[in-house]
Amino acid sequence: MQKSDRQLGMNRDITRRDFIHDLSLTSLGLTLPAGVLAEAFTGNPESAGTYYPPTRTGMRGSHPGAFEVAHALAREGKKFLDPADLDEEYDLVVVGGGISGLAVAYYYRKQFGADSRILILENHDDFGGHAKRNEFHQGGKMRLSWGGTMNLEYPLFSDTANALLGELGVDIDELLQGYDFEYGSGPKGSPSIFFDAETYGRDELIHGFSFRAGNSDNLEAIFDRFPISEESRESLKKFYARRENVFKGKSEAEVGKILSGISYTGFLKKYGGLSDEAANLFIKTTHGYWGVGADSLSAAECIGASLPIMHLLGHPELSGSGDDNAGGDVAMFPDGNASIARLLVHALIPAVAPGSDATNIAMARFDYSRLDEATSPVRLRLESTVVNVTNRSGGTSVSYVNRGRVLRVNSRHAVLACYHSIIPYLCPDMPQEQKEAQKYQVKRPLILTNVLLRDSTAFDKLDISGAYCPGRLHGAVWQVKGVNTAGYRHDWEDSGPVPIMFWGSVAPPDASVPVQEQHRASRALLLAMTFEHFEREVRTVLDGMLGSAGFDVQNDILAITVNRWPHGYSYSYLDLWDPEWPEGQAPHEVARRPFGNIAIANADAGASALTNVAIDEAWRAVRELNS
Ligand SMILES: Cc1cc2nc3c(=O)[nH]c(=O)nc-3n(C[C@H](O)[C@H](O)[C@H](O)COP(=O)(O)OP(=O)(O)OC[C@H]3O[C@@H](n4cnc5c(N)ncnc54)[C@H](O)[C@@H]3O)c2cc1C
C-alpha cells in the first residue's frame, strides 16, 4: 500500500529551504510560482554577508528567481523599457556565466589584453551555469556532489580545450588517479535494478544485474524475479541468450541505414523479439546521457550508448564496450566541472579565492563579495538577466534586470554565451533566418537531485552502489563517493553522510510528436513540479529500495537539493528527428553567426552538450570579434 506523506517523513525538518529574492520580481510586476513564498528560508547555514550559494538546498538549478524575467520577455512579450544608464564602460560584456561565458572572458584577455575591462552577467545566483556545485555540511564534514555538468570527457578534447585546462593547471592523469567511481555499478556494490511498487505492483530490488552488461551467470533466475508478465520475462531471457546476425547477407551500408532509421525500442521489438512491456523497460536507460528516452533514439545511436545490440549483429558481446559504463572514459572533480568554472573565475578574479589552484580548488570557499568590485578589471554580476543587446556605433549596449531595476551598460564588444533560444528576444534585429535557427535549438530538460543520507549502511548491507529505476521519475540513483581529487576525499569505506544522486529527465507526454515539441512539453511539466513533488519521489524510492535493509525514511534523510534544468543539454542532432543539412547550413552554424559587434558562444553553438565544446565555441566567438 502506498505510504502517506507522514509515513514518508514529509513533515520532517530537513535542510531544503532556499533564499529567494522576491522583491525584485514583485517590483517588476512579475510573480513567483505558487508555493515559492511559503518556502522561505528556515535552516540554511548561510546568513547575510556570507553569500555562498553552493550550500543552498531546496529547488536549485533553474531556481525560483532565476528565470521569471526571461520568461516574461520571451513568453509574454514584456518590454523592459527606459533602462537606467550605469556609469560603467566595458571592453566586453558577456551574457551568461557558464563555462562558455567564463572561457570567453579568459580568451578575450589573451586576445585583447589583460587589462581589458569585462563584465559577465549571469541570471542565476551562482556562476558556472550547468556546472553547479552542491555542497553539504553535516557533523563537521563537507560532502560535495554535482548539481549538473560532471564528466570531463577528455578523449574528446580538442587541442584548444586541452590547452585551456593545462593553463588552469588541470592534470587529467592526476584526476584519473583519484577517480574510483562508476555510476551505480561499483566499485563497491553490484549494479542493480529497482522495480517500484507503484509501477510494478511490488518493490523488487534485483541485485547483481544491469541491462547494459547483462552480467550474471544466472540470467534465467534474475528475469524470473522481474515483476512483469511471463511473456515479457521469457522474451528477455531469449534476447540475452541469443548470439546471431539478424542482418546476415545485408551490406554494411544497408545495416547502417536500418539501424539509424529505427528506434532502439523498435529494434528490440522487431529484431530482438521483446514484448512491448519488456522493451519499455529500456526507455530510461538513456535519459541521463541523452536527455531523451531509448524510444526517441535510433538503434545506431544506442550502440554508442553501450546498450545491448551487438550480439544480434554477429558479435559475441552484448554491447560495444562490453561493460556497464555508458559514460565512456571520464575524469572528474568532486563537484564536477564546477571546479573548472571556479578555476576560470579564480583566473579572472584572483581575490575570490587567494592561494587556490587545481590541486585544492574543491576545498576553496569562494568569497562571493569579491566577484563584482569596481576596482577589478573583470566583474561577474549575478542575478542579472540580460533583456536586450544592441549594436551601436563602435560598440554595443546591453540592458539587464537586477533586483527589479532595468539597467544598461555600454561596451565595445558583447558575446552571447547564453542559451541560443533566448537570443531572438535579446536581439530582435538579427536576421530572421538566424533567429529561426536559434529557436530550433531547444535544450533537453534534465533533473539531477542530490539527497544527503545519514550514512550508506543500507546500501552497504544490500551490496549495491546504486540502481536503475525503470518506473520512476529519475531513471538512475547512485552513491556519490570515490572522487578523491583537488584536495577532497570521500572514500567508499568512509562512514557518515553520503550524497545520493537521482538522475533523469521528464518523460514527454507524447513521444510521437517532433522531438523539440517533446522537450517543450517536458519542460512545462518540469517547471510545474513543486519541491514537495521531488521530495515525495525520492522518499518513495529510497523507502522502497532500502527499507528492507533498515533504512529509516523518516530520519535518515538530512537534506535535498533538486537541480532542475528545464534548459539542459544542448540540442544535438538525432537520427530519427533531424534532416542532413548542407555544409554550413545546420541550425547551430546559422545560429552562431556574428552580428556586428556581437559574437555568439555557448555549447549550443557546437550542437553538443559537452564542456570541451563550450570552451571551443568560446574561443571561436572571441576570434570573430573585430579588433
Ligand atoms: C544536468 C547536466 C549534466 C551535464 N553533464 C555533463 C557532463 O558530465 N559532461 C559534459 O561535458 N557536459 C555535461 N553537461 C553539458 C553542459 O551543458 C556543458 O558541459 C557546459 O557546462 C555548458 O556550458 P555553457 O556555458 O555552454 O552553458 P550553460 O552552462 O548553460 O551556461 C549558460 C549560462 O547563461 C545563462 N543565461 C541564459 N540566458 C541569460 C540571460 N538572458 N542573461 C544572463 N544569463 C543568461 C544561463 O542561466 C547559464 O547560467 C551537462 C548538462 C546538464 C544540464
Side-chain angles (χ1 to χ4, degrees), residues 131-132 145-146 148-152 332-341:
K132 169 97 69 190
S145 190
W146 320 288
T149 311
M150 51 192 99
N151 296 332
L152 283 171
M332 255 194 215
F333 286 94
D335 56 358
N337 295 354
S339 272
I340 302 295

Side-chain angles (χ1 to χ4, degrees), residues 129-150:
H130 294 152
K132 169 97 69 190
R133 175 179 170 102
N134 282 183
E135 179 178 326
F136 300 98
H137 290 265
Q138 190 71 36
K141 292 188 168 133
M142 178 174 81
R143 295 295 193 224
L144 295 177
S145 190
W146 320 288
T149 311
M150 51 192 99

Side-chain angles (χ1 to χ4, degrees), residues 70-300:
H71 284 186
L73 176 77
R75 294 176 172 191
E76 294 149 31
K78 186 174 171 64
K79 302 268 181 263
F80 294 90
L81 303 171
D82 303 323
D85 282 309
L86 290 181
D87 189 19
E88 296 176 12
E89 192 78 29
Y90 295 95
D91 296 302
L92 171 71
V93 171
V94 184
V95 182
I99 286 179
S100 200
L102 297 170
V104 162
Y106 184 91
Y107 287 131
Y108 192 89
R109 277 156 53 99
K110 285 189 150 218
Q111 194 81 341
F112 293 93
D115 55 352
S116 302
R117 291 195 56 80
I118 301 175
L119 175 67
I120 303 163
L121 294 167
E122 165 59 46
N123 62 313
H124 286 94
D125 61 13
D126 201 353
F127 58 80
H130 294 152
K132 169 97 69 190
R133 175 179 170 102
N134 282 183
E135 179 178 326
F136 300 98
H137 290 265
Q138 190 71 36
K141 292 188 168 133
M142 178 174 81
R143 295 295 193 224
L144 295 177
S145 190
W146 320 288
T149 311
M150 51 192 99
N151 296 332
L152 283 171
E153 307 207 5
Y154 63 88
L156 306 176
F157 282 11
S158 64
D159 291 346
T160 305
N162 276 326
L164 176 66
L165 292 198
E167 288 170 31
L168 295 175
V170 177
D171 180 339
I172 297 289
D173 290 335
E174 211 168 288
L175 290 180
L176 290 175
Q177 276 175 28
Y179 182 69
D180 191 18
F181 173 82
E182 280 175 44
Y183 289 107
S185 60
K188 195 173 171 198
S190 298
S192 63
I193 300 180
F194 173 61
F195 291 98
D196 66 286
E198 268 175 31
T199 316
Y200 296 101
R202 66 171 193 267
D203 288 323
E204 183 81 61
L205 183 71
I206 308 285
H207 168 267
F209 177 76
S210 91
F211 280 122
R212 282 195 165 81
N215 48 336
S216 173
D217 298 336
N218 199 355
L219 282 176
E220 300 244 330
I222 294 252
F223 290 128
D224 280 338
R225 288 180 53 212
F226 277 30
I228 54 176
S229 70
E230 193 178 339
E231 179 211 348
S232 297
R233 288 199 295 263
E234 292 308 312
S235 72
L236 281 164
K237 287 178 195 172
K238 284 194 196 129
F239 173 72
Y240 274 89
R242 282 169 67 185
R243 293 291 180 276
E244 62 185 279
N245 184 355
V246 295
F247 298 122
K248 205 166 172 191
K250 291 205 177 341
S251 70
E252 210 173 295
E254 285 170 321
V255 174
K257 198 163 173 222
I258 295 171
L259 293 178
S260 53
I262 188 169
S263 71
Y264 180 64
T265 48
F267 174 89
L268 292 176
K269 289 186 267 189
K270 184 165 179 185
Y271 298 101
L274 291 192
S275 68
D276 281 354
E277 184 188 33
N280 287 345
L281 292 177
F282 289 79
I283 287 180
K284 293 201 170 186
T285 54
T286 57
H287 260 184
Y289 302 100
W290 291 79
V292 290
D295 51 346
S296 287
L297 292 171
S298 74

Side-chain angles (χ1 to χ4, degrees), residues 14-37:
I14 54 166
T15 315
R16 64 187 176 88
R17 307 296 183 194
D18 206 356
F19 278 119
I20 46 165
H21 302 284
D22 55 296
L23 286 178
S24 57
L25 298 167
T26 44
S27 65
L28 281 170
L30 303 175
T31 50
L32 286 165
V36 166
L37 285 174

Side-chain angles (χ1 to χ4, degrees), residues 95-101 121-124 128-131 148-151 153 384-386 417-419 422 426 446 448 503 565 568-569 602-603 609-611 614:
V95 182
I99 286 179
S100 200
L121 294 167
E122 165 59 46
N123 62 313
H124 286 94
H130 294 152
T149 311
M150 51 192 99
N151 296 332
E153 307 207 5
S384 299
T385 304
V386 172
C418 52
Y419 318 144
I422 188 81
L426 306 184
L446 284 170
L448 213 155
W503 174 234
W565 298 110
Y569 286 156
N602 193 282
L610 287 168
T611 290

